[in-house]
Structures are given as structure tokens and as C-alpha cells.
Amino acid sequence: MEKTETYLEYLKSPEAQAVFRLSQAVTDSLREYLRTCGFVEFLPPVVSSVTDPGLRGAERLPVSLYETRAYVMSSMVFHKQVLATAFSRIYSFSPNVRLEPARNADSGRHLVEFCQLDLEEAGASLDDSMRLAEDMIVATVSSVLDRCRPFLDALDRDLSVPKVPFQRITYDDALREAAKYDLEIRYGDELPQTLEAQISREAGGFLWVTDYPKSCRSFYYRQSEDGGSVRSMDLLYPEGFGEAISGGEREYRPDVITKRILEAGLDPAEFREFLAMADTGLRPTSGFGIGIERLVRYIAGESEIARVRPFPKTPGRITM
Ligand code: AMP
Ligand code: MG
């Protein structure tokens, strides 16, 4: 959007007309794909007494509901484990609010308010979730190419169906790559966005990064046998678009969840309702979240995520 252009003018522009029709095709395709796989869609919670505290530097938005501390949902991870225990394969288009740090204001891929397709599957492994994500992305891109050529052409977007399986590297491999770019990252640090962009560009396609160290991921991920890493994965988009997905296998044993909460320096009392549900027997699950705006941004080939979200709020800039 040009500085002189009003938001309504942007919405009426050929660019926005194409972007938002692509966005609709994306959500339609995702729903169609998941329905054929037997996933049950749930309406998402908007506020909750329990939501994800592990947000890579972002903060949750606290709200007071009838004098009780609650949060606007930052992710559905705990609710998903409960729903998947009861319904096996579940998903929601979940609205999330995260107070991202100001340093992410101009990243082109951070919003304060965004939507995650949050899905979870009982009895699934990390590998199952990765294959499901690959098939889902292939189905979505194929469907968009079938239905939306004129909109892609209007945006001058050259998009093709990605080849599966996507390449896989581990976090340790990514650290070795970092050395090539003279980036100093210690084992246990987050992979910086610049490195994610570099390695995804170099891969020439979608790229999985697996086996993150415990310190990089929240307490709810299942620990690997080695004890140092967790059963986790991130998917990076091609062309330097950065992170698409985070997910993995979840810890479901209440005693281990409590231990991990304490290790993370958090207070188990904050999670007591979830822990009480875990006490009644959660099934092992695996799943992931994929940001819808980031997926549309990639499909539309837009550099700014704000162009693909209606009434966008970027870190530090809150507007209508
Ligand atoms: P996370 O579990 O924190 O990795 O979030 C899951 C997914 O949601 C990410 O892989 C992104 O696709 C998306 N996402 C996370 N934070 C944001 C944000 N601030 N703005 C837009 N999308 C986001
Ligand atoms: Mg992530």
C-alpha cells in the first residue's frame, strides 16, 4: 500500500482484489483437504484461562474476565490436545493475538493479530505430521493453481506445485550452515530469521528443520530419547519467505508436563485446569500450526504480510 493511498483505496485495488480472493481459495482448499482426511473442525476459543506462554519473544495479551485473569488466545495447543484426545483428528482456524516485540515491526511477516490453522492428531508421530503438512500444502497450491490463475497473473506470481517429500535438516545441521555465513549461534539459541531465510533460499524449495533443543521450544513438546532435544519441527518456505509451520509431538503425561513446566521456570498453578484434564488421561498427539496470512503471503508472493490481512496490526502499530 502506498503511503498516500487510503486503506479503502487499497482494498479496491486490483492487487487487494487478487490477494483476498487467493486468501479465500486457500482457506477453502485447506478445509476441503482436511475434511477428506476425516478431520473435525471446531470453532476456536477466543479467550481462555490457559494459553501458550512460549512465543519466541512475544507476550500474551492479558484480559480480566469477571475479575479472573485470562488471555486472548495466543495458540490453541492445550485445547487441541484435549480435543484430539476426544475426536482423534481435529483443527480450528484459530484467531491469535501476540504482542510481538517492536524489532519485528518491519519483518514483513509478523502481525499482532493473525489466524493459525491449528491441527492435531491422536496417535500420530512427528513423521506423520510432516507428511500430512506436505500433502496439505501440495493440495492447497494445486487447488489455487486450478482455480485462481487470473489472480496469480494479476500479481505476477510464478507459483508451482512443490515436490514432496520436502528436504529435511536437523537443528544441528542448521548450526553448521550458520557457520558458513559467519553467524555465531550457540547450541540452544533460536535460529535467527536471517539464517532461516538464507537456508531456505539455498534449499531451493520447502525445508524442514527438526530436533530443536529443549531450550528453543515450549515445555509441551515431547522430549527425544537423548533428553536434549524435543520431537519438533519447523517448516520454512522457499524463496526466503521464512517460517511457515511449527509443530511436533506433545507431552501428555501429567507428571512429566509438571516437571517440564517447573524446569521452564513457570508456575504449574497457571496451567492447573489443563493439568487436571491431563490427569484424566490425554492421548499422545502430534500436530502443528500454520499461519494463514503467511501462507497467503507466500502464495501471493507479497513481501508485506500486512497486505494479505484485512485491517492489519503490525507490532507497535495498532489501527482499525
Ligand atoms: P508458533 O507455534 O509460535 O511457531 O506459531 C505457529 C505459526 O503461526 C508460525 O509458524 C507462523 O506461521 C504463525 N505465526 C506465529 N506468529 C505470527 C505472527 N506474529 N504473525 C503472523 N503469523 C505468525
Ligand atoms: Mg514457530
Side-chain angles (χ1 to χ4, degrees):
M1 197 180 19
E2 298 296 323
K3 285 219 160 43
T4 51
E5 194 180 35
T6 66
Y7 193 61
L8 182 53
E9 277 163 352
Y10 171 66
L11 290 176
K12 290 181 185 166
S13 71
E15 178 188 345
Q17 293 288 311
V19 160
F20 289 109
R21 285 181 168 81
L22 283 172
S23 177
Q24 181 180 8
V26 165
T27 49
D28 283 352
S29 307
L30 291 167
R31 281 202 166 89
E32 282 159 23
Y33 175 80
L34 292 171
R35 197 171 305 133
T36 58
C37 296
F39 279 81
V40 184
E41 179 169 358
F42 282 84
L43 296 175
V46 173
V47 287
S48 176
S49 57
V50 184
T51 195
D52 191 353
L55 303 178
R56 291 233 252 181
E59 300 283 326
R60 294 171 291 183
L61 176 62
V63 287
S64 172
L65 287 182
Y66 307 104
E67 282 154 35
T68 300
R69 161 64 68 96
Y71 295 96
V72 180
M73 294 293 287
S74 59
S75 102
M76 263 185 74
V77 63
F78 305 115
H79 304 71
K80 284 199 304 184
Q81 279 184 260
V82 174
L83 291 172
T85 292
F87 288 85
S88 285
R89 296 187 122 186
I90 64 98
Y91 72 98
S92 280
F93 282 91
S94 169
N96 292 174
V97 172
R98 297 185 186 179
L99 305 177
E100 292 283 350
R103 65 171 181 275
N104 287 338
D106 297 312
S107 70
R109 57 194 173 99
H110 288 91
L111 291 165
V112 174
E113 177 182 77
F114 64 98
C115 176
Q116 256 193 83
L117 167 58
D118 232 336
L119 70 81
E120 198 74 13
E121 196 180 355
S125 65
L126 184 69
D127 206 54
D128 294 331
S129 292
M130 290 164 83
R131 274 183 285 141
L132 176 77
E134 290 176 356
D135 284 352
M136 188 178 84
I137 288 171
V138 165
T140 304
V141 173
S142 306
S143 162
V144 167
L145 286 167
D146 282 348
R147 298 177 200 189
C148 297
R149 282 274 181 200
F151 302 128
L152 293 168
D153 290 346
L155 297 168
D156 223 3
R157 177 62 169 152
D158 184 16
L159 187 73
S160 53
V161 180
K163 289 195 180 55
V164 286
F166 300 159
Q167 289 180 64
R168 295 181 182 193
I169 62 169
T170 62
Y171 172 91
D172 292 11
D173 297 330
L175 285 200
R176 280 189 281 276
E177 289 292 311
K180 280 208 278 184
Y181 301 107
D182 288 332
L183 285 169
E184 256 192 56
I185 308 167
R186 277 169 307 163
Y187 181 85
D189 286 351
E190 287 286 1
L191 300 179
Q193 292 168 26
T194 46
L195 177 68
E196 288 180 344
Q198 301 265 33
I199 57 179
S200 75
R201 250 191 218 105
E202 204 164 282
F206 282 84
L207 178 69
W208 288 111
V209 182
T210 63
D211 302 285
Y212 283 83
K214 235 162 87 169
S215 59
C216 281
R217 286 295 174 266
S218 286
F219 65 81
Y220 48 75
Y221 281 99
R222 187 132 191 232
Q223 238 169 274
S224 305
E225 302 284 298
D226 66 21
S229 62
V230 285
R231 305 275 299 154
S232 60
M233 83 286 193
D234 268 19
L235 179 65
L236 305 180
Y237 285 113
E239 302 169 54
F241 277 92
E243 181 192 323
I245 282 178
S246 285
E249 294 174 16
R250 318 299 181 185
E251 184 49 69
Y252 60 95
R253 296 162 294 180
D255 51 332
V256 184
I257 304 175
T258 306
K259 184 169 149 268
R260 300 281 311 279
I261 290 174
L262 290 166
E263 276 173 13
L266 296 164
D267 182 2
E270 195 194 313
F271 304 94
R272 64 181 169 276
E273 286 179 82
F274 174 63
L275 287 167
M277 288 188 207
D279 271 334
T280 63
L282 289 175
R283 292 173 71 191
T285 67
S286 180
F288 58 85
I290 177 167
I292 296 299
E293 295 86 349
R294 289 191 185 178
L295 176 58
V296 175
R297 171 177 175 253
Y298 165 71
I299 285 187
E302 287 282 353
S303 57
E304 294 301 324
I305 198 166
R307 291 177 192 244
V308 312
R309 165 91 203 183
F311 307 104
K313 281 112 196 142
T314 46
R317 298 177 195 137
I318 303 308
T319 55
M320 173 182 161

